[in-house]
Amino acid sequence: MKDNLDTYKNISVASQRISNEFFELLDNEYSTKEEFGKPVNLRAPADFAQVLNIHVNHLNRVLKTSTQKTTTQLIAERILQKATYLLREKNWNIAEVAYFLGFKEATHFSNFFKKHMDTTPQAYRKCLNIVCYCLMDMVCL
């Protein structure tokens, strides 16, 4: 009985380590810090699994257990977080944002963004500009 308990504890510790390492990689890859500098290289769950030296199914199982989300969902959330940051803070065109986030084509990025945000990157940026101008008008009155 004690052996089973020890095995369970080791699995739990191992899962926690994998989860922590995944989130550290995710944070490094999709940082929104000003000095982020380099384009994204890790986009697919298999890319993260390879760096962590584990099978992609094992990574997915560990993350699903600890977060109730799949690896793909966690990566998509972080891509969207970084995309909205870039669209808000940088004066880059959509193709530059797409490339920086690891998309091969700007249309793939636009489709991804629209699927998750229910608006296009262009419309999102335009909406931000309208809100910004409205706030500036209210402050200036």
Side-chain angles (χ1 to χ4, degrees), residues 29-30 38-44 47 100-102:
E29 195 68 16
Y30 293 97
K38 65 178 177 49
V40 169
N41 293 317
L42 305 176
R43 286 211 42 241
D47 298 334
F100 196 83
L101 293 173

Side-chain angles (χ1 to χ4, degrees), residues 88-123:
R88 185 178 61 248
E89 300 295 329
K90 301 291 183 188
N91 196 24
W92 295 352
N93 65 43
I94 303 305
E96 290 171 316
V97 173
Y99 168 74
F100 196 83
L101 293 173
F103 289 87
K104 301 281 188 241
E105 301 286 335
T107 54
H108 295 160
F109 168 66
S110 292
N111 291 338
F112 171 85
F113 194 90
K114 186 170 184 172
K115 175 183 173 185
H116 293 281
M117 299 291 287
D118 293 327
T119 188
T120 65
Q122 297 87 341

Side-chain angles (χ1 to χ4, degrees), residues 45-127:
D47 298 334
F48 285 89
Q50 184 177 14
V51 171
L52 295 170
N53 203 26
I54 59 175
H55 194 277
V56 67
N57 292 349
H58 183 58
L59 176 62
N60 211 16
R61 195 173 23 249
V62 166
L63 293 174
K64 184 76 170 175
T65 300
S66 65
T67 67
Q68 315 315 303
K69 295 179 181 178
T70 66
T71 309
T72 301
Q73 288 171 317
L74 293 167
I75 295 168
E77 286 174 2
R78 195 56 63 92
I79 290 172
L80 289 168
Q81 180 184 21
K82 190 164 184 176
T84 56
Y85 170 82
L86 292 171
L87 292 168
R88 185 178 61 248
E89 300 295 329
K90 301 291 183 188
N91 196 24
W92 295 352
N93 65 43
I94 303 305
E96 290 171 316
V97 173
Y99 168 74
F100 196 83
L101 293 173
F103 289 87
K104 301 281 188 241
E105 301 286 335
T107 54
H108 295 160
F109 168 66
S110 292
N111 291 338
F112 171 85
F113 194 90
K114 186 170 184 172
K115 175 183 173 185
H116 293 281
M117 299 291 287
D118 293 327
T119 188
T120 65
Q122 297 87 341
Y124 177 82
R125 184 176 267 168
K126 185 176 181 182
C127 183

Side-chain angles (χ1 to χ4, degrees), residues 14-23 52 54 58-59 62:
S15 293
Q16 187 62 44
R17 182 188 57 78
I18 290 168
S19 191
N20 289 342
E21 288 179 11
F22 168 79
F23 282 109
L52 295 170
I54 59 175
H58 183 58
L59 176 62
V62 166

